[in-house]
Amino acid sequence: MGPFDKFHEECGIFGVFNHPEASNLTYLGLYALQHRGQESAGIVSSDGSALHVHKAMGLVADIFTEPVLKTLPGFSAIGHVRYSTTGSSQIKNAQPFVVSGGIGNVAIAHNGNLTNAMEIRKELESYGSIFQSTMDTEVIIHLMAISRERALLDRLMDALVRVQGAYSLLLMTEDTMIALRDPRGFRPLSIGTIDGATVVASESCAFDLIGAVFEREIEPGEIIYVDKKGVKSYKPFVPVKQSPCVFEFIYFARPDSIIFGKNVYEIRKELGRQLAREYPKEADIVIPVPDSGMPAAIGYAQEAGIPIELGLIRNHYVGRTFIEPKQSIRHFGVKIKLNPVREILRGKRVVVIDDSIVRATTGRKIIKMIRNGGAKEIHFLISSPPTRYPCFYGIDTPTKEELIANSHSMEEIREYITCDSLGYLSIEGLRHVVGGEQKPYCYACFDGRYPVEFPVRIPKPQMPLFYNL
Ligand code: AMP
């Protein structure tokens, strides 16, 4: 790929201002947000006169040992977890970014994707900017650096009016913290308090872990500025139609979080109820795909009046360090993670529920596993519409061609998965559950209607060598 070797990112951010245990709290906050990114993690702390940083590849609990946390002193800190599917040693892309220079020392952590980052980067490079990473976030820093404004917030605004797309951001200097959401509010971001200190997190589940009080969500287009004098809120953007990501509800956020004004678990359960209304089945049991299909399966079972059973048991201790032995005993595939309970499945007509299908590789393996476990009839129901379009706003999805629902008919997918029937929730059903027409969301992965356009690359053969002849 181009200068941004990873276009699709998934991330979580956490920040705390004015607390003696700032980096410890950030460590715990990131721990609660680990589901939002497992490739790298970083924390930057401030002791009032300098920024301290530690970033590494891997999981939060492995990276931030006690000795490491001791190197992150101070009363404020921001942190980031990141997931991307390319590049194993992309430590240069780990966040928060820390820069120093004309703008002073600034750390930045970003969740989301900027859709015009590539264009801006090319422009800045033509003026001589030298980029350290392949992350879209870095363009914000460069734009801030070339701003003619003096105050940090003004520099930031100069940068933000140029960028498009999805960004929930945390910035920190030695004595301030800034948190904001893009005007469309693609990604969640909440604010809370603990012992009089301000905390900010991608999801409220991070507040629960540290015992912070969830105050409210930061609004789309709102900038929260925190310093020793207190917390200020600004709304400098011209309001635009909001488009929070509906896929946060379906798959990405943790079920115990409150995002976009709603509890994620309740929404998922309601999606399952809606699924039962759209696909009533004559079945003996409902089985969730652990753990992604769990809340929707509960909703389905309740609405349909069919008992729910754990027909698949998950090994919770499968880590990234697992080494697959060679040859003879290989090809466990999904068996490493899941095992069917034959006593539950034998001779049954089952409804299997998951939250989404991407490439359908998991679904196919799971359905075969349930069949081998003795199920007589298998109905595979999905608590979201067919995922047909890639996300350009911060959810990791494969290319359009690799999304099975983009390139195959329902019958072809059913045949591939080998289930007796296949059903996806309707977009109308999804819309109804998340609040109807009056609550706008981004449904681009389902309907291809992207709220923010992204530059389309000219296919190579047609690209003129010289533009202004
Ligand atoms: P697949 O086998 O490619 O169809 O993947 C489907 C499974 O991946 C489902 O169990 C989903 O819960 C999960 N899933 C959906 N979206 C994503 C995503 N963006 N990243 C990782 N897993 C996902």
Side-chain angles (χ1 to χ4, degrees):
M1 279 206 232
F4 298 109
D5 60 4
K6 185 60 197 128
F7 201 49
H8 309 136
E9 301 290 333
E10 297 182 335
C11 302
I13 55 178
F14 182 92
V16 52
F17 188 87
N18 200 19
H19 196 288
E21 298 252 17
S23 54
N24 284 344
L25 291 177
T26 305
Y27 158 70
L28 291 171
L30 292 183
Y31 194 78
L33 296 174
Q34 185 79 80
H35 61 288
R36 297 185 71 88
Q38 302 94 44
E39 189 185 79
S40 68
I43 295 178
V44 178
S45 74
S46 168
D47 57 11
S49 54
L51 299 184
H52 306 269
V53 53
H54 187 86
K55 298 189 273 188
M57 305 305 290
L59 298 173
V60 175
D62 299 331
I63 298 168
F64 295 101
T65 55
E66 228 177 305
V68 167
L69 283 167
K70 284 213 172 86
T71 67
L72 298 166
F75 63 88
S76 63
I78 64 171
H80 188 270
V81 286
R82 171 174 182 265
Y83 169 80
S84 90
T85 50
T86 59
S88 52
S89 57
Q90 293 286 327
I91 185 67
K92 67 178 178 183
N93 288 341
Q95 294 196 25
F97 276 128
V98 184
V99 284
S100 45
I103 53 172
N105 296 321
V106 183
I108 184 167
H110 174 201
N111 174 210
N113 258 121
L114 306 178
T115 50
N116 63 343
M118 196 101 78
E119 290 175 324
I120 297 176
R121 178 176 171 139
K122 278 189 192 145
E123 186 190 323
L124 290 171
E125 281 179 335
S126 74
Y127 299 141
S129 288
I130 297 166
F131 279 74
Q132 296 170 24
S133 76
T134 57
M135 289 290 301
D136 57 348
T137 314
E138 206 185 335
V139 302
I140 296 178
I141 302 277
H142 283 264
L143 290 170
M144 286 173 73
I146 59 168
S147 163
R148 292 177 185 274
E149 297 290 347
R150 294 194 55 171
L152 188 71
L153 259 185
D154 293 326
R155 282 178 181 270
L156 177 61
M157 276 313 296
D158 262 2
L160 295 181
V161 294
R162 290 284 322 271
V163 300
Q164 285 169 12
Y167 52 89
S168 280
L169 284 180
L170 266 173
L171 287 92
M172 191 179 73
T173 65
E174 288 90 341
D175 48 15
T176 58
M177 182 171 81
I178 300 170
L180 64 109
R181 279 173 80 194
D182 65 74
R184 288 182 172 76
F186 280 103
R187 301 277 146 238
L189 195 61
S190 289
I191 185 163
T193 50
I194 178 168
D195 308 329
T198 303
V199 279
V200 174
S202 291
E203 291 179 39
S204 62
C205 64
F207 298 156
D208 298 335
L209 178 61
I210 60 170
V213 177
F214 169 75
E215 296 291 338
R216 66 178 177 90
E217 288 176 66
I218 296 173
E219 288 175 35
E222 184 184 18
I223 298 184
I224 300 284
Y225 182 90
V226 196
D227 64 10
K228 279 265 152 90
K229 286 186 233 145
V231 181
K232 289 193 204 97
S233 159
Y234 301 94
K235 288 181 186 158
F237 296 97
V238 176
V240 291
K241 194 173 172 208
Q242 298 178 8
S243 52
C245 165
V246 81
F247 207 66
E248 291 269 355
F249 277 141
I250 291 164
Y251 162 79
F252 199 33
R254 241 171 70 162
D256 49 342
S257 288
I258 293 166
I259 59 160
F260 312 146
K262 306 218 167 73
N263 168 241
V264 175
Y265 178 83
E266 284 181 332
I267 292 280
R268 286 187 192 161
K269 209 167 110 181
E270 198 49 43
L271 291 172
R273 284 185 175 278
Q274 180 65 22
L275 200 56
R277 290 189 281 269
E278 294 185 16
Y279 297 95
K281 295 284 175 192
E282 294 274 320
D284 303 308
I285 49 173
V286 175
I287 295 175
V289 171
D291 293 323
S292 48
M294 193 68 90
I298 293 172
Y300 187 99
Q302 286 181 359
E303 182 72 20
I306 303 172
I308 186 164
E309 296 282 4
L310 301 182
L312 296 167
I313 300 300
R314 179 172 161 195
N315 179 349
H316 285 269
Y317 303 97
V318 180
R320 294 206 150 195
T321 45
F322 182 83
I323 299 161
E324 277 198 33
K326 297 268 172 316
Q327 304 305 327
S328 55
I329 43 172
R330 250 176 103 183
H331 306 302
F332 323 91
V334 84
K335 278 188 272 175
I336 295 171
K337 272 197 209 150
L338 297 172
N339 197 28
V341 186
R342 289 175 180 78
E343 290 68 21
I344 294 286
L345 298 171
R346 202 169 292 130
K348 301 274 173 46
R349 297 169 301 170
V350 301
V351 168
V352 181
I353 310 261
D354 203 359
D355 63 350
S356 54
I357 293 177
V358 184
R359 294 184 173 90
T361 41
T362 320
R364 180 179 158 93
K365 286 176 188 157
I366 283 174
I367 297 306
K368 285 191 167 173
M369 183 179 273
I370 293 173
R371 184 92 62 196
N372 290 338
K376 193 167 74 180
E377 228 178 73
I378 307 174
H379 305 283
F380 193 32
L381 300 181
I382 306 301
S383 61
S384 65
T387 306
R388 293 206 164 97
Y389 304 90
C391 177
F392 295 96
Y393 311 124
I395 296 281
D396 180 67
T397 44
T399 60
K400 204 167 156 184
E401 292 69 35
E402 289 169 289
L403 291 167
I404 193 160
N406 179 271
S407 46
H408 294 77
S409 70
M410 285 299 119
E411 178 52 22
E412 285 168 340
I413 303 172
R414 187 206 61 73
E415 210 172 292
Y416 176 72
I417 292 178
T418 73
C419 47
D420 296 293
S421 80
L422 171 70
Y424 286 91
L425 189 71
S426 65
I427 292 203
E428 297 68 40
L430 169 62
R431 214 186 294 277
H432 169 72
V433 168
V434 297
E437 290 296 335
Q438 56 276 32
K439 264 277 193 188
Y441 285 97
C442 175
Y443 296 93
C445 53
F446 306 124
D447 66 7
R449 288 162 61 186
Y450 292 96
V452 178
E453 281 308 319
F454 44 92
V456 179
R457 270 206 233 160
I458 304 169
K460 276 241 167 69
Q462 293 168 22
M463 192 143 46
L465 272 179
F466 302 101
Y467 286 91
N468 300 316
L469 288 179

